[in-house]
Amino acid sequence: VLRPGDSERIEAIRSKYGNRKIVLFVGRHVPYKGLNYLVEAERYIKSDCVILIGGRGPETATLGKMTSSHRIKFLGKLPLSDLRCYYHAADIFGFTSCSKQEAFGIALAEAMYCGCVPVTFTIEGSGVNWVSLKGETGEEVPLGDAKAYAAAIDKVLGDEELYERYSQAGKQRVTDMFTCERAVKEMETILDQL
């Protein structure tokens, strides 16, 4: 839910990057987040976009050395008070987690709720591909395939109708499945059965 002043902040973020399409990553810079695949995919993305990488961690310096692209911006840790504005400003959520260590993806659900369309990898044994449904709420590509990842980003950014469909479906899925109200209702049902 947007708060007073958020619309202006969202526009300021978009303006800062020349109103280009935004691919956003938010999370810790650790191996299972697969950020190296996003950095690699940038070389193959044809769309005019900028890739904003929020967060930090033990891999930040290594990731920075992997690229000299002007399209990739390392933002550091984003304040929680500003995070929703970045989600709303972004077009694509670059969710590159590559291991079942990513059991669910809270940031994935947050981004979807804000209308940001996810591109994910297929991860056997993870809930990621249950949170975002392939071809319904976003794109999903074979694990570790940076070229396919770039192609999926281009596909969504190049098709406004597809983007809108995914954006609306993603928000609806989070509303239907992953809110506190839904969790309480499910827990009450389980307790009643017990």
Side-chain angles (χ1 to χ4, degrees), residues 60-74:
T60 305
T62 303
L63 292 163
K65 291 175 186 171
M66 284 179 61
T67 183
S68 59
S69 174
H70 67 282
R71 297 199 301 178
I72 296 179
K73 313 289 183 195
F74 288 87

Side-chain angles (χ1 to χ4, degrees), residues 41 44-47 119 139 141 145-158 162:
Y44 307 109
I45 297 171
K46 296 179 176 120
S47 302
V119 176
E139 290 290 313
V141 301
D145 189 337
K147 287 184 179 179
Y149 200 88
I153 289 172
D154 283 330
K155 177 181 176 181
V156 176
L157 292 182
L162 179 67

Side-chain angles (χ1 to χ4, degrees), residues 27-147:
R28 290 173 40 238
H29 300 180
V30 294
Y32 79 86
K33 293 291 187 180
L35 252 174
N36 56 305
Y37 296 116
L38 182 57
V39 172
E40 183 183 347
E42 182 275 333
R43 295 183 293 165
Y44 307 109
I45 297 171
K46 296 179 176 120
S47 302
D48 182 24
C49 65
V50 62
I51 298 170
L52 304 182
I53 298 177
R56 59 179 177 244
E59 292 204 324
T60 305
T62 303
L63 292 163
K65 291 175 186 171
M66 284 179 61
T67 183
S68 59
S69 174
H70 67 282
R71 297 199 301 178
I72 296 179
K73 313 289 183 195
F74 288 87
L75 307 177
K77 186 169 174 142
L78 296 171
L80 286 176
S81 60
D82 210 21
L83 188 54
R84 71 183 169 280
C85 294
Y86 274 90
Y87 286 143
H88 280 284
D91 301 283
I92 300 287
F93 191 59
F95 198 77
T96 49
S97 290
C98 58
S99 160
K100 64 182 178 182
Q101 283 179 273
E102 188 71 77
F104 179 85
I106 298 291
L108 176 60
E110 290 173 344
M112 289 167 61
Y113 184 74
C114 295
C116 192
V117 175
V119 176
T120 63
F121 285 127
T122 303
I123 309 170
E124 287 294 323
S126 168
V128 167
N129 308 119
W130 177 68
V131 176
S132 179
L133 302 176
K134 180 179 182 178
E136 290 184 37
T137 62
E139 290 290 313
E140 178 185 317
V141 301
L143 184 59
D145 189 337
K147 287 184 179 179

